[in-house]
Amino acid sequence: MLGQLKKDLAVNSTKKKGADLLLEELVKQRVKVVFGYPGGAVLPLYDAIYRNSFHNILVRHEQGAVHAAEGFAKATGEIGVVFVTSGPGATNVITGIADAKSDSVPLVIFTGQVATTVLGTDAFQEAKIIEITKPITKKSLQVRTAKQLPEIISEAFRLAVNGRPGPVVVDLPKNVMTELVSDSTSLPEASENSVKMSETVREKIVEKLQTARKPVLLIGGGILSANASQEVRRFVAKHQIPVVSTLLGLGIMPRDEELFLGMGGMHGTYAANMALAECDFLLNVGSRFDDRLATKPAEFAPKAWIAHLDIDPHELNKIITVDLAEVADAKSVFQELLRIDFKEKSNDQWLVQLQDWKKRYPYHYQHQEGVIKPQELIEEVGKLTRSAAIVVTDVGQHQMWAAQYYPFCKPRQLITSGGLGTMGFGLPAAIGAKLANPKTPVVLFVGDGGFQMTLEELAVIKQYDLDLKIVLINNHALGMVRQWQDLFYEKRRSQTIFEKQPDFLGIAQAYEIESMKLNPNNWKKALADAFSQKHCVLIEAPVPQLEEVTPMIAPGSPNHEMFGIE
């Protein structure tokens, strides 16, 4: 009997728990940081974190974990990783997963689960997370034995970045984390798939570039996913093609580049929207023609021959029926086009017209003595940060003002929730962005509504001593919703005005974070003082409640029907 015990101990000494194996696999995947929150079902995993000194950022709510991972991923292009427990821990990340799916953010979310022996019995804190998350992930996987961990983790990380990036869920039953398993050999990392455009498509695009008199290049977040920003800049410079960007494409082209027309769509520039309306050839690479850009699909780019290249086949001809569509990787598209020398038909007259529109109808606002205008505030932050900060926003009017008035000049400089428009995204995403770029200034623009949704993450900022500048633009309202009520609901401001608000400076003080409230009479000096600090500062800026985001296209109107341009 003693001899058998010795044999068992010898065997077990060569084995490891599933939780330790999981962490080893993450190290092999070069994961630098995990955003997580412990609970009963993941106690074995968090015990392994303790024993292995693994880097886990303890957030204060699971939604904060997934948004922070998004901020990290958007700022780096790397995969964001999340640990949460079963039941409510898992369901609390649903909003962030949906947000990541909409914006093509690569995430791997590990959710705790009850033991396989009680799955399906409605055990304590059991949730059918695989079924719940299937519609909002690239794939949802459940581990049934510890031996499966290397294969499933490898697949999850491959899926998160291959093709169109997005979130993958890995569900971890508790007993799998405690199961002893012999060392397993990890699968080799999958090489990235580079889907090149066909020769036929390349020749057709070159033909159109040679003959078009009014060409426009439309770029979106897919350029960032493909790390193709430099190729885009070289292509634009070589062929003198004017460029329109989506919200998520801002920063790919420097704002002061002459050929860059700005953001198109609902709150885009006049020049960008008129270019879309008047162009005769539109080349769209990495943008999905969403309704904030193609505000009236039936009348979008009505004079243009349209080519659409995207890594996701489901986006082709989904909203706009185009003349040429092909699945292709954005980086390879521009690499191919840059190899070809061809002479385009002169579009000098078109470029002159576009520059005239840019000059005559820039973004503008009315200055008001003794009043802090949000647009001017953002411009001032741009000056103080020398256009070099990573800018994170929440969702609402301040998000659009930041897009319009901050001088973006480099890729991955804007971190925002685009497709899902998630209030509460901003603060945790800024944490992720700062952890990814500790030496780069990070500024968060947030409204008084969204700030209250995830402000518990201020504790994380203090705990890890993160130097963030939080600019709280306070109009005592749900500003964008209020603006729509005024424009389209005869000013019936139903539940959009905050009659009572907390003391935001007091909240910051409770979290031991420095704070200040700008005085409209000398706010620029106070702002400069705040930005000179080497630690987090919450800067509350009172702004006019009825200030509107302009210009604007009404829902259902075509791009050229803008109001508020003068």
Side-chain angles (χ1 to χ4, degrees), residues 309-323:
L309 292 95
D310 200 286
I311 198 66
D312 185 354
H314 298 99
E315 293 299 340
L316 301 177
N317 292 314
K318 184 175 82 174
I319 298 170
I320 304 293
T321 301
V322 300
D323 300 284

Side-chain angles (χ1 to χ4, degrees), residues 16-31 34 41-42 44-46 48-49 51-52 54 81-84 108-112 143 145-154 157 170-174 176-179 181-184 186:
K16 60 189 67 174
K17 291 181 179 179
D20 295 290
L21 180 58
L22 187 154
L23 296 185
E24 286 184 12
E25 292 301 316
L26 294 189
V27 171
K28 291 173 185 176
Q29 293 289 344
R30 296 190 287 276
V31 172
V34 165
V42 287
L45 180 56
Y46 272 85
I49 287 172
R51 288 184 281 102
N52 292 279
F54 197 82
V81 181
V82 174
F83 287 165
V84 292
V108 175
I109 303 98
F110 292 92
T111 57
V143 185
T145 68
K147 286 184 179 180
Q148 294 176 323
L149 280 165
E151 181 180 357
I152 288 178
I153 291 171
S154 178
F157 277 77
V170 178
D171 200 35
L172 303 169
K174 186 174 183 179
V176 171
M177 294 293 94
T178 57
E179 181 185 345
V181 63
S182 300
D183 278 342
S184 300
S186 298

Side-chain angles (χ1 to χ4, degrees), residues 28-280:
K28 291 173 185 176
Q29 293 289 344
R30 296 190 287 276
V31 172
K32 299 169 185 170
V33 61
V34 165
F35 301 91
Y37 200 93
V42 287
L43 282 177
L45 180 56
Y46 272 85
D47 187 59
I49 287 172
Y50 182 89
R51 288 184 281 102
N52 292 279
S53 301
F54 197 82
H55 191 23
N56 176 89
I57 297 295
L58 176 62
V59 295
R60 297 311 191 260
H61 190 283
E62 291 90 353
Q63 183 178 352
V66 72
H67 290 326
E70 284 188 278
F72 181 91
K74 286 193 174 199
T76 61
E78 299 173 15
I79 297 173
V81 181
V82 174
F83 287 165
V84 292
T85 194
S86 63
T91 58
N92 277 344
V93 298
I94 298 301
T95 298
I97 293 173
D99 189 275
K101 182 67 160 59
S102 185
D103 281 1
S104 307
V105 184
L107 300 181
V108 175
I109 303 98
F110 292 92
T111 57
Q113 185 55 276
V114 299
T116 57
T117 53
V118 293
L119 271 174
T121 66
D122 292 327
F124 178 68
Q125 290 193 334
E126 179 181 2
K128 296 178 180 177
I129 202 66
I130 297 296
E131 291 85 347
I132 291 170
T133 58
K134 273 184 179 178
I136 54 171
T137 59
K138 292 189 74 176
K139 198 165 186 178
S140 295
L141 307 161
Q142 189 174 73
V143 185
R144 288 302 186 111
T145 68
K147 286 184 179 180
Q148 294 176 323
L149 280 165
E151 181 180 357
I152 288 178
I153 291 171
S154 178
E155 182 182 5
F157 277 77
R158 178 185 62 81
L159 286 170
V161 293
N162 272 23
R164 180 177 179 174
V168 179
V169 163
V170 178
D171 200 35
L172 303 169
K174 186 174 183 179
N175 58 317
V176 171
M177 294 293 94
T178 57
E179 181 185 345
L180 290 172
V181 63
S182 300
D183 278 342
S184 300
T185 302
S186 298
L187 298 176
E189 289 186 23
S191 58
E192 292 186 14
N193 292 332
S194 179
V195 184
K196 295 184 178 181
M197 66 177 169
S198 65
E199 185 177 342
T200 303
V201 168
R202 184 188 65 210
E203 289 176 354
K204 192 65 179 177
I205 290 174
V206 169
E207 175 193 326
K208 288 297 178 181
L209 288 170
Q210 287 176 317
T211 58
R213 291 185 179 275
K214 298 180 179 180
V216 168
L217 172 63
L218 174 62
I219 55 175
I223 303 297
L224 297 174
S225 296
N227 293 314
S229 299
Q230 292 307 313
E231 287 80 2
V232 169
R233 291 186 180 195
R234 287 168 53 207
F235 174 78
V236 168
K238 182 176 180 179
H239 297 294
Q240 293 295 289
I241 306 295
V243 187
V244 173
S245 170
T246 65
L247 171 67
L248 295 183
L250 289 174
I252 294 169
M253 294 294 297
R255 188 173 113 165
D256 59 1
E257 162 61 50
E258 188 176 20
L259 290 166
F260 182 54
L261 306 177
M263 180 174 69
M266 183 169 285
H267 295 294
T269 67
Y270 182 82
N273 280 315
M274 288 305 295
L276 293 172
E278 295 295 329
C279 65
D280 62 4

Side-chain angles (χ1 to χ4, degrees), residues 289-328:
F289 286 128
D290 76 288
D291 61 308
R292 285 300 191 262
L293 175 81
T295 49
K296 188 173 185 179
E299 296 182 28
F300 180 77
K303 303 176 183 180
W305 192 93
I306 304 176
H308 186 190
L309 292 95
D310 200 286
I311 198 66
D312 185 354
H314 298 99
E315 293 299 340
L316 301 177
N317 292 314
K318 184 175 82 174
I319 298 170
I320 304 293
T321 301
V322 300
D323 300 284
L324 182 148
E326 185 166 73
V327 176

